Amino acid sequence: MLGDWRIADLDPAYRATLVFLEKLNSDPASIGPADAAELKSYGLTQTDIADAIYICAAFNVIGRVADALDFQLPPRQELDKVSKMLLGIGYRV
C-alpha cells in the first residue's frame, strides 16, 4: 500500500476514503455532500469522515511546516531505533 495505494488490495471503504482525501487535497472546492454520501454508502459515519479529514489536515500542516523550516529526517538507523521503541512502549513517553 505504501508504494501505491491505488493498486493495493484494500478494503473498499478504506479505498473510498483515500479517493476522497486525494480529491480533498487536489480540488477542495469540488468536495460536496455527494462525496460524503458516497463514503456513507460504504458504512462510514459522519464521525469517521470528520476524523479522516482532521488527520489529513494535520498531516498537511505538518508537511508544510516541515518544508518551510527545511526539516531533515534523521538517518535511517536512528528512525529504526525510535520505531522499535515506539512499537514496544507506544507514545506514553
Side-chain angles (χ1 to χ4, degrees), residues 5 8 17 41 64 93:
W5 63 267
T17 302
S41 77
R64 286 181 174 96
V93 174

Side-chain angles (χ1 to χ4, degrees), residues 4-87:
D4 187 352
W5 63 267
R6 290 167 200 83
I7 59 172
D9 182 25
L10 300 175
D11 175 81
Y14 193 70
R15 180 178 304 285
T17 302
L18 293 175
V19 168
F20 172 85
L21 293 175
E22 182 176 57
K23 183 178 178 182
L24 179 64
N25 276 308
S26 64
D27 191 11
S30 71
I31 294 288
D35 297 291
E38 182 177 351
L39 291 178
K40 289 177 182 177
S41 77
Y42 285 96
L44 278 76
T45 66
Q46 190 73 21
T47 301
D48 296 332
I49 297 166
D51 286 347
I53 292 169
Y54 296 146
I55 292 166
C56 180
F59 274 94
N60 279 321
V61 169
I62 291 166
R64 286 181 174 96
V65 169
D67 288 346
L69 299 176
D70 195 28
F71 180 78
Q72 300 296 314
L73 288 174
R76 177 63 187 216
Q77 70 187 91
E78 201 171 317
L79 289 173
D80 289 345
K81 179 181 168 186
V82 171
S83 297
K84 288 176 186 169
M85 180 189 72
L86 289 173
L87 285 172

